[in-house]
Amino acid sequence: MMILIYQIARFDRDFEKELRFDINGAFCSETLSSFALRAYLGKAKTILLFPVSLYFNSGVINSLKNEDLKYKLKKVLNTTSQEYLDFINDPYPLYREHPQAQKADDILVIQSVGTYEGVVFQSSLNILILQIFTDL
């Protein structure tokens, strides 16, 4: 039986920092608990959820190690740019470049709800739930 582990990805100032996890006495250093749990369980897959609004945390962008991703995200933050429209229409390419996506078995970009950094996301909780459950 394959175990699926879903977790929301991180995009904060320390999101690339490894943390030390203790799972039943087995220690593992990873950036996310789902990666540590996958390593502990062995037969598990990690699916990271990326709210479409996650990259709008503008305070994190300048601290990125990946210069190419940093450059692209700065363009996306300009809500009048073509890059912004491209991202809103298909956010998967940029989220596949997220460092945690590189370590995940799969990713799922989910809709966001409310207003974040001046951008209004007009989805609903029902749509989010449906989107996640249809991925199972």
Side-chain angles (χ1 to χ4, degrees), residues 52 55-56 61 69-88 91 94-95 119:
V52 74
Y55 272 154
F56 287 86
I61 293 174
L69 182 57
K70 182 188 303 186
Y71 174 78
K72 290 175 183 177
L73 291 179
K74 284 182 177 182
K75 289 187 161 243
V76 166
L77 288 181
N78 176 0
T79 58
T80 61
S81 71
Q82 183 62 47
E83 288 83 0
Y84 169 80
L85 294 174
D86 292 344
F87 175 75
I88 292 298
L94 271 181
Y95 278 116
V119 179

mmCIF file of all heavy atoms in Angstrom, residues 52 55-56 61 69-88 91 94-95 119:
data_model
loop_
_atom_site.group_PDB
_atom_site.id
_atom_site.type_symbol
_atom_site.label_atom_id
_atom_site.label_comp_id
_atom_site.label_asym_id
_atom_site.label_seq_id
_atom_site.Cartn_x
_atom_site.Cartn_y
_atom_site.Cartn_z
ATOM 1 N N VAL A 52 -1.791 29.341 -4.946
ATOM 2 C CA VAL A 52 -1.318 30.203 -6.032
ATOM 3 C C VAL A 52 -0.733 31.509 -5.488
ATOM 4 O O VAL A 52 0.163 32.099 -6.079
ATOM 5 C CB VAL A 52 -2.436 30.436 -7.078
ATOM 6 C CG1 VAL A 52 -3.494 31.372 -6.566
ATOM 7 C CG2 VAL A 52 -1.868 30.909 -8.398
ATOM 8 N N TYR A 55 3.755 32.650 -3.782
ATOM 9 C CA TYR A 55 4.892 33.436 -4.292
ATOM 10 C C TYR A 55 4.697 34.946 -4.130
ATOM 11 O O TYR A 55 5.606 35.720 -4.410
ATOM 12 C CB TYR A 55 5.135 33.130 -5.764
ATOM 13 C CG TYR A 55 6.049 31.953 -6.025
ATOM 14 C CD1 TYR A 55 5.943 31.241 -7.215
ATOM 15 C CD2 TYR A 55 7.034 31.561 -5.138
ATOM 16 C CE1 TYR A 55 6.783 30.175 -7.491
ATOM 17 C CE2 TYR A 55 7.863 30.491 -5.401
ATOM 18 C CZ TYR A 55 7.743 29.803 -6.581
ATOM 19 O OH TYR A 55 8.577 28.749 -6.863
ATOM 20 N N PHE A 56 3.541 35.381 -3.692
ATOM 21 C CA PHE A 56 3.324 36.813 -3.516
ATOM 22 C C PHE A 56 3.887 37.338 -2.202
ATOM 23 O O PHE A 56 3.707 38.497 -1.873
ATOM 24 C CB PHE A 56 1.832 37.145 -3.668
ATOM 25 C CG PHE A 56 1.368 37.058 -5.088
ATOM 26 C CD1 PHE A 56 0.953 35.847 -5.624
ATOM 27 C CD2 PHE A 56 1.393 38.170 -5.912
ATOM 28 C CE1 PHE A 56 0.553 35.749 -6.946
ATOM 29 C CE2 PHE A 56 1.008 38.082 -7.237
ATOM 30 C CZ PHE A 56 0.583 36.866 -7.749
ATOM 31 N N ILE A 61 11.448 37.054 -1.569
ATOM 32 C CA ILE A 61 12.059 36.937 -2.893
ATOM 33 C C ILE A 61 13.531 37.351 -2.910
ATOM 34 O O ILE A 61 14.364 36.660 -3.489
ATOM 35 C CB ILE A 61 11.233 37.712 -3.944
ATOM 36 C CG1 ILE A 61 9.880 37.006 -4.102
ATOM 37 C CG2 ILE A 61 11.966 37.808 -5.277
ATOM 38 C CD1 ILE A 61 8.904 37.716 -4.985
ATOM 39 N N LEU A 69 15.098 32.191 -10.461
ATOM 40 C CA LEU A 69 13.750 32.216 -9.885
ATOM 41 C C LEU A 69 13.460 33.581 -9.273
ATOM 42 O O LEU A 69 12.357 34.123 -9.434
ATOM 43 C CB LEU A 69 13.593 31.112 -8.839
ATOM 44 C CG LEU A 69 12.218 30.981 -8.195
ATOM 45 C CD1 LEU A 69 11.131 30.750 -9.238
ATOM 46 C CD2 LEU A 69 12.224 29.856 -7.160
ATOM 47 N N LYS A 70 14.432 34.163 -8.611
ATOM 48 C CA LYS A 70 14.269 35.492 -8.020
ATOM 49 C C LYS A 70 13.899 36.513 -9.103
ATOM 50 O O LYS A 70 12.974 37.303 -8.937
ATOM 51 C CB LYS A 70 15.571 35.917 -7.331
ATOM 52 C CG LYS A 70 15.497 37.258 -6.640
ATOM 53 C CD LYS A 70 16.845 37.757 -6.140
ATOM 54 C CE LYS A 70 17.525 36.824 -5.200
ATOM 55 N NZ LYS A 70 18.769 37.387 -4.617
ATOM 56 N N TYR A 71 14.599 36.473 -10.219
ATOM 57 C CA TYR A 71 14.350 37.392 -11.333
ATOM 58 C C TYR A 71 12.925 37.212 -11.874
ATOM 59 O O TYR A 71 12.186 38.170 -12.090
ATOM 60 C CB TYR A 71 15.381 37.148 -12.434
ATOM 61 C CG TYR A 71 15.146 37.930 -13.691
ATOM 62 C CD1 TYR A 71 15.490 39.283 -13.770
ATOM 63 C CD2 TYR A 71 14.582 37.324 -14.813
ATOM 64 C CE1 TYR A 71 15.267 40.008 -14.926
ATOM 65 C CE2 TYR A 71 14.360 38.033 -15.970
ATOM 66 C CZ TYR A 71 14.705 39.377 -16.025
ATOM 67 O OH TYR A 71 14.472 40.088 -17.180
ATOM 68 N N LYS A 72 12.521 35.946 -12.070
ATOM 69 C CA LYS A 72 11.188 35.663 -12.605
ATOM 70 C C LYS A 72 10.086 36.126 -11.651
ATOM 71 O O LYS A 72 9.074 36.686 -12.080
ATOM 72 C CB LYS A 72 11.035 34.162 -12.877
ATOM 73 C CG LYS A 72 11.873 33.675 -14.036
ATOM 74 C CD LYS A 72 11.777 32.164 -14.164
ATOM 75 C CE LYS A 72 12.670 31.644 -15.265
ATOM 76 N NZ LYS A 72 12.642 30.175 -15.357
ATOM 77 N N LEU A 73 10.277 35.890 -10.365
ATOM 78 C CA LEU A 73 9.246 36.257 -9.391
ATOM 79 C C LEU A 73 9.101 37.766 -9.256
ATOM 80 O O LEU A 73 7.996 38.271 -9.047
ATOM 81 C CB LEU A 73 9.530 35.616 -8.041
ATOM 82 C CG LEU A 73 9.372 34.108 -8.003
ATOM 83 C CD1 LEU A 73 9.691 33.560 -6.621
ATOM 84 C CD2 LEU A 73 7.986 33.693 -8.437
ATOM 85 N N LYS A 74 10.196 38.485 -9.384
ATOM 86 C CA LYS A 74 10.101 39.950 -9.338
ATOM 87 C C LYS A 74 9.242 40.459 -10.490
ATOM 88 O O LYS A 74 8.476 41.405 -10.331
ATOM 89 C CB LYS A 74 11.490 40.580 -9.370
ATOM 90 C CG LYS A 74 12.210 40.481 -8.041
ATOM 91 C CD LYS A 74 13.554 41.159 -8.098
ATOM 92 C CE LYS A 74 14.240 41.111 -6.742
ATOM 93 N NZ LYS A 74 15.524 41.807 -6.734
ATOM 94 N N LYS A 75 9.351 39.824 -11.650
ATOM 95 C CA LYS A 75 8.512 40.213 -12.789
ATOM 96 C C LYS A 75 7.046 39.857 -12.543
ATOM 97 O O LYS A 75 6.151 40.604 -12.912
ATOM 98 C CB LYS A 75 9.011 39.566 -14.075
ATOM 99 C CG LYS A 75 10.316 40.151 -14.557
ATOM 100 C CD LYS A 75 10.670 39.579 -15.916
ATOM 101 C CE LYS A 75 11.681 40.488 -16.566
ATOM 102 N NZ LYS A 75 11.204 41.085 -17.776
ATOM 103 N N VAL A 76 6.794 38.702 -11.911
ATOM 104 C CA VAL A 76 5.428 38.270 -11.628
ATOM 105 C C VAL A 76 4.740 39.228 -10.660
ATOM 106 O O VAL A 76 3.533 39.472 -10.767
ATOM 107 C CB VAL A 76 5.421 36.823 -11.072
ATOM 108 C CG1 VAL A 76 4.085 36.476 -10.445
ATOM 109 C CG2 VAL A 76 5.762 35.839 -12.177
ATOM 110 N N LEU A 77 5.484 39.798 -9.730
ATOM 111 C CA LEU A 77 4.888 40.701 -8.742
ATOM 112 C C LEU A 77 4.354 41.990 -9.360
ATOM 113 O O LEU A 77 3.534 42.673 -8.751
ATOM 114 C CB LEU A 77 5.894 41.039 -7.643
ATOM 115 C CG LEU A 77 6.208 39.910 -6.678
ATOM 116 C CD1 LEU A 77 7.203 40.372 -5.628
ATOM 117 C CD2 LEU A 77 4.956 39.363 -6.025
ATOM 118 N N ASN A 78 4.794 42.308 -10.557
ATOM 119 C CA ASN A 78 4.257 43.468 -11.278
ATOM 120 C C ASN A 78 2.934 43.035 -11.911
ATOM 121 O O ASN A 78 2.917 42.412 -12.968
ATOM 122 C CB ASN A 78 5.252 43.941 -12.334
ATOM 123 C CG ASN A 78 4.719 45.074 -13.171
ATOM 124 O OD1 ASN A 78 3.580 45.533 -12.987
ATOM 125 N ND2 ASN A 78 5.527 45.548 -14.103
ATOM 126 N N THR A 79 1.830 43.368 -11.243
ATOM 127 C CA THR A 79 0.524 42.854 -11.659
ATOM 128 C C THR A 79 0.043 43.391 -13.008
ATOM 129 O O THR A 79 -0.997 42.966 -13.501
ATOM 130 C CB THR A 79 -0.548 43.149 -10.581
ATOM 131 O OG1 THR A 79 -0.598 44.548 -10.353
ATOM 132 C CG2 THR A 79 -0.241 42.405 -9.291
ATOM 133 N N THR A 80 0.798 44.286 -13.617
ATOM 134 C CA THR A 80 0.438 44.762 -14.953
ATOM 135 C C THR A 80 1.298 44.109 -16.031
ATOM 136 O O THR A 80 1.157 44.424 -17.212
ATOM 137 C CB THR A 80 0.584 46.299 -15.057
ATOM 138 O OG1 THR A 80 1.944 46.659 -14.808
ATOM 139 C CG2 THR A 80 -0.335 47.009 -14.055
ATOM 140 N N SER A 81 2.172 43.185 -15.642
ATOM 141 C CA SER A 81 3.095 42.573 -16.603
ATOM 142 C C SER A 81 2.505 41.336 -17.266
ATOM 143 O O SER A 81 1.590 40.695 -16.740
ATOM 144 C CB SER A 81 4.405 42.193 -15.906
ATOM 145 O OG SER A 81 4.195 41.097 -15.035
ATOM 146 N N GLN A 82 3.069 40.982 -18.392
ATOM 147 C CA GLN A 82 2.689 39.746 -19.080
ATOM 148 C C GLN A 82 3.079 38.540 -18.232
ATOM 149 O O GLN A 82 2.375 37.532 -18.201
ATOM 150 C CB GLN A 82 3.335 39.676 -20.472
ATOM 151 C CG GLN A 82 2.923 38.454 -21.276
ATOM 152 C CD GLN A 82 1.414 38.418 -21.550
ATOM 153 O OE1 GLN A 82 0.828 39.408 -21.948
ATOM 154 N NE2 GLN A 82 0.796 37.263 -21.315
ATOM 155 N N GLU A 83 4.196 38.633 -17.521
ATOM 156 C CA GLU A 83 4.643 37.539 -16.661
ATOM 157 C C GLU A 83 3.609 37.248 -15.564
ATOM 158 O O GLU A 83 3.367 36.088 -15.226
ATOM 159 C CB GLU A 83 6.000 37.872 -16.023
ATOM 160 C CG GLU A 83 7.161 37.841 -16.991
ATOM 161 C CD GLU A 83 7.330 39.138 -17.804
ATOM 162 O OE1 GLU A 83 6.543 40.088 -17.615
ATOM 163 O OE2 GLU A 83 8.244 39.173 -18.633
ATOM 164 N N TYR A 84 3.002 38.292 -15.026
ATOM 165 C CA TYR A 84 1.950 38.117 -14.017
ATOM 166 C C TYR A 84 0.770 37.359 -14.634
ATOM 167 O O TYR A 84 0.270 36.394 -14.051
ATOM 168 C CB TYR A 84 1.497 39.472 -13.469
ATOM 169 C CG TYR A 84 0.247 39.399 -12.634
ATOM 170 C CD1 TYR A 84 0.302 38.986 -11.304
ATOM 171 C CD2 TYR A 84 -0.994 39.719 -13.166
ATOM 172 C CE1 TYR A 84 -0.851 38.903 -10.535
ATOM 173 C CE2 TYR A 84 -2.145 39.638 -12.408
ATOM 174 C CZ TYR A 84 -2.069 39.237 -11.096
ATOM 175 O OH TYR A 84 -3.213 39.149 -10.342
ATOM 176 N N LEU A 85 0.326 37.796 -15.818
ATOM 177 C CA LEU A 85 -0.803 37.132 -16.478
ATOM 178 C C LEU A 85 -0.481 35.681 -16.809
ATOM 179 O O LEU A 85 -1.321 34.794 -16.626
ATOM 180 C CB LEU A 85 -1.192 37.889 -17.744
ATOM 181 C CG LEU A 85 -1.756 39.299 -17.539
ATOM 182 C CD1 LEU A 85 -1.965 39.993 -18.877
ATOM 183 C CD2 LEU A 85 -3.042 39.254 -16.735
ATOM 184 N N ASP A 86 0.736 35.437 -17.283
ATOM 185 C CA ASP A 86 1.151 34.067 -17.585
ATOM 186 C C ASP A 86 1.119 33.203 -16.325
ATOM 187 O O ASP A 86 0.659 32.059 -16.359
ATOM 188 C CB ASP A 86 2.557 34.043 -18.189
ATOM 189 C CG ASP A 86 2.616 34.671 -19.574
ATOM 190 O OD1 ASP A 86 1.550 34.854 -20.199
ATOM 191 O OD2 ASP A 86 3.734 34.982 -20.015
ATOM 192 N N PHE A 87 1.609 33.759 -15.222
ATOM 193 C CA PHE A 87 1.644 33.027 -13.961
ATOM 194 C C PHE A 87 0.230 32.723 -13.462
ATOM 195 O O PHE A 87 -0.066 31.591 -13.055
ATOM 196 C CB PHE A 87 2.399 33.835 -12.901
ATOM 197 C CG PHE A 87 2.367 33.208 -11.535
ATOM 198 C CD1 PHE A 87 3.155 32.105 -11.251
ATOM 199 C CD2 PHE A 87 1.545 33.708 -10.545
ATOM 200 C CE1 PHE A 87 3.111 31.519 -9.995
ATOM 201 C CE2 PHE A 87 1.498 33.132 -9.290
ATOM 202 C CZ PHE A 87 2.292 32.032 -9.012
ATOM 203 N N ILE A 88 -0.653 33.702 -13.497
ATOM 204 C CA ILE A 88 -2.024 33.501 -13.032
ATOM 205 C C ILE A 88 -2.736 32.452 -13.888
ATOM 206 O O ILE A 88 -3.485 31.620 -13.381
ATOM 207 C CB ILE A 88 -2.803 34.834 -13.010
ATOM 208 C CG1 ILE A 88 -2.237 35.769 -11.932
ATOM 209 C CG2 ILE A 88 -4.290 34.613 -12.816
ATOM 210 C CD1 ILE A 88 -2.330 35.239 -10.510
ATOM 211 N N PRO A 91 0.317 28.640 -13.203
ATOM 212 C CA PRO A 91 1.386 28.808 -12.213
ATOM 213 C C PRO A 91 2.325 27.608 -12.074
ATOM 214 O O PRO A 91 3.368 27.716 -11.434
ATOM 215 C CB PRO A 91 0.614 29.037 -10.911
ATOM 216 C CG PRO A 91 -0.700 28.371 -11.118
ATOM 217 C CD PRO A 91 -0.988 28.481 -12.580
ATOM 218 N N LEU A 94 6.390 27.876 -12.731
ATOM 219 C CA LEU A 94 7.182 28.551 -11.696
ATOM 220 C C LEU A 94 7.192 27.772 -10.386
ATOM 221 O O LEU A 94 8.202 27.761 -9.683
ATOM 222 C CB LEU A 94 6.664 29.967 -11.452
ATOM 223 C CG LEU A 94 7.279 31.044 -12.323
ATOM 224 C CD1 LEU A 94 6.724 32.417 -11.983
ATOM 225 C CD2 LEU A 94 8.791 31.061 -12.206
ATOM 226 N N TYR A 95 6.106 27.124 -10.046
ATOM 227 C CA TYR A 95 6.108 26.339 -8.809
ATOM 228 C C TYR A 95 6.961 25.085 -8.932
ATOM 229 O O TYR A 95 7.496 24.601 -7.932
ATOM 230 C CB TYR A 95 4.688 26.013 -8.345
ATOM 231 C CG TYR A 95 4.101 27.183 -7.595
ATOM 232 C CD1 TYR A 95 2.994 27.855 -8.072
ATOM 233 C CD2 TYR A 95 4.691 27.648 -6.421
ATOM 234 C CE1 TYR A 95 2.483 28.952 -7.393
ATOM 235 C CE2 TYR A 95 4.190 28.741 -5.743
ATOM 236 C CZ TYR A 95 3.079 29.384 -6.230
ATOM 237 O OH TYR A 95 2.590 30.471 -5.566
ATOM 238 N N VAL A 119 -3.508 41.607 -4.040
ATOM 239 C CA VAL A 119 -4.092 40.815 -5.118
ATOM 240 C C VAL A 119 -5.304 40.075 -4.559
ATOM 241 O O VAL A 119 -5.219 39.425 -3.515
ATOM 242 C CB VAL A 119 -3.077 39.810 -5.709
ATOM 243 C CG1 VAL A 119 -3.710 38.980 -6.810
ATOM 244 C CG2 VAL A 119 -1.840 40.534 -6.220
#
